[in-house]
Amino acid sequence: MAQKKQTTRKTKSTTKTQSTARKRPAKRRTSKRRGVKLPDLILIVLLVTLISVQTIKWIDQRQEPARIERESPQQTKTDFIKQLVPSAQKQQRQYHVFASITLAQAALESNWGQSELSARYHNLFGIKSDQPNSPLLTTKEYVNGQWITVKARFASYASYDESIAAHTQLFVNGTGWDASHYQAVLAAANYQQAAQALQAKGYATDPGYAQKLIDLIQEYHLDQYD
């Protein structure tokens, strides 16, 4: 009898242990490596795309001035020349002032039409005036071997055509002290002689004036309009 009771107790104990084991909930296994959620991934992609677009725009903006610098000036200069060609050729037919000289002087004196004097007052050649109501502007002159800044009054014109016509009349009529002062310019056989005559007669204070005109004529083939 004693042996039977012992066996019964063991059976009850084993049953109780198994029952307790079944009641305990199983622990979930959690991984330490968590993946990126889809909304977060989309947000990251959008941010990277936005940064890339803004970077490209910033690079383009930095490069744009250089591109304009490369492309625009030549076209602007060509347009400037073409705008003046009819008037320059008209003066050459009437007074034998080489069109190439007129165009080169206009480009050099007005900085291709960009100077304040040419843009606001249509004065292409820096012709001065003694009229008290004439525009008073700052200019540079070569005096005693050096460039100095001075203020002077300049003529004002209604158009470029008027400015070119007045420029030609200066050569035709000469100066107040010498009516034939620029006759060598009118009598020149080519633009090189005309440029040298201008410098010899003191048209400009720049000692390299004649060569600058010749260089412009050759660089932009202005002699094709003569």
Side-chain angles (χ1 to χ4, degrees):
M1 291 294 292
Q3 184 178 359
K4 187 176 180 180
K5 288 181 180 180
Q6 186 177 2
T7 303
T8 303
R9 285 198 298 271
K10 287 182 178 181
T11 303
K12 288 182 179 180
S13 176
T14 302
T15 303
K16 183 178 181 181
T17 301
Q18 292 176 348
S19 175
T20 303
R22 284 196 300 269
K23 290 181 180 180
R24 290 177 181 176
K27 293 183 179 180
R28 294 182 180 180
R29 293 182 180 181
T30 58
S31 175
K32 294 181 180 180
R33 297 169 56 188
R34 295 183 179 180
V36 180
K37 295 181 180 180
L38 183 58
D40 294 337
L41 181 59
I42 294 174
L43 180 60
I44 292 171
V45 171
L46 290 175
L47 287 174
V48 172
T49 303
L50 179 61
I51 293 172
S52 300
V53 170
Q54 293 299 325
T55 302
I56 292 173
K57 287 183 178 180
W58 179 80
I59 294 174
D60 288 342
Q61 290 174 354
R62 292 293 297 271
Q63 293 178 343
E64 184 68 10
R67 184 185 67 79
I68 294 174
E69 182 73 16
R70 290 193 304 270
E71 297 177 1
S72 297
Q74 189 65 33
Q75 183 63 33
T76 300
K77 290 176 181 179
T78 301
D79 293 340
F80 176 78
I81 291 170
K82 290 182 177 179
Q83 181 181 4
L84 304 183
V85 165
S87 294
Q89 290 180 328
K90 178 181 178 181
Q91 297 303 315
Q92 179 173 351
R93 286 192 298 267
Q94 291 181 332
Y95 301 103
H96 198 258
V97 179
F98 283 101
S100 59
I101 287 291
T102 300
L103 296 172
Q105 284 191 282
L108 182 61
E109 300 284 352
S110 71
N111 188 26
W112 300 93
Q114 301 301 311
S115 69
E116 180 183 4
L117 186 60
S118 62
R120 294 186 61 182
Y121 305 105
H122 298 100
N123 189 334
L124 292 167
F125 306 96
I127 296 178
K128 295 179 180 179
S129 173
D130 56 2
Q131 299 298 319
N133 59 345
S134 297
L136 180 63
L137 301 175
T138 300
T139 185
K140 287 186 176 181
E141 294 185 357
Y142 194 80
V143 179
N144 296 327
Q146 62 180 350
W147 287 100
I148 62 172
T149 300
V150 299
K151 285 186 175 294
R153 294 195 178 277
F154 293 87
S156 177
Y157 302 104
S159 66
Y160 284 159
D161 291 344
E162 186 176 321
S163 177
I164 292 174
H167 173 257
T168 301
Q169 289 305 307
L170 173 63
F171 297 154
V172 173
N173 299 324
T175 63
W177 64 89
D178 183 9
S180 60
H181 192 72
Y182 291 111
Q183 286 303 306
V185 178
L186 302 178
N190 51 58
Y191 68 82
Q192 292 94 337
Q193 290 182 11
Q196 294 297 339
L198 281 170
Q199 181 151 352
K201 292 299 181 180
Y203 178 88
T205 58
D206 184 353
Y209 190 75
Q211 191 57 51
K212 288 179 180 179
L213 293 180
I214 293 172
D215 290 344
L216 280 173
I217 292 171
Q218 293 177 348
E219 181 177 357
Y220 295 96
H221 308 289
L222 302 181
D223 54 324
Q224 66 180 301
Y225 303 112
D226 289 341

